[in-house]
Amino acid sequence: MNGCGTTFLTIAPDGIALPCHSARELPGLFANRGYVYKTDPVCSKSPDRRVIQNAIDSARESALSTDEQPLIFRNSKNPRAY
């Protein structure tokens, strides 16, 4: 998809444009709905960026506290390393 909403948008029956089919089910990602002048909290320059950063930090801490290994994406530098 090249990142959330960069290639296509899903238009829900109520007219809301969503970056993916399951966007409504993602908790807290679209908290600014209805506030057209508010910056998207995902933007690094948003005054509300701390909300997203806290969620990222919390997810990272809980993921690292288990025995699971982090996902490693293949690229040109490590196409068959894993």
Side-chain angles (χ1 to χ4, degrees), residues 5-81:
T6 61
T7 304
F8 68 88
L9 291 174
T10 299
I11 306 299
D14 62 357
I16 302 250
L18 303 169
C20 68
H21 301 302
S22 61
R24 284 186 191 236
E25 298 171 17
L26 301 172
L29 288 185
F30 297 98
N32 291 342
R33 220 173 5 162
Y35 301 101
V36 296
Y37 298 109
K38 208 166 183 188
T39 308
D40 185 342
V42 175
C43 176
S44 63
K45 296 180 181 181
S46 171
D48 297 322
R49 173 63 188 184
R50 64 181 156 54
V51 174
I52 299 300
Q53 194 60 52
N54 289 343
I56 292 169
D57 294 342
S58 174
R60 185 173 287 137
E61 286 175 21
S62 66
L64 294 176
S65 66
T66 66
D67 292 333
E68 296 178 18
Q69 297 293 320
L71 289 176
I72 299 174
F73 295 99
R74 293 181 179 180
N75 58 35
S76 60
K77 294 180 182 177
N78 67 351
R80 295 187 181 139

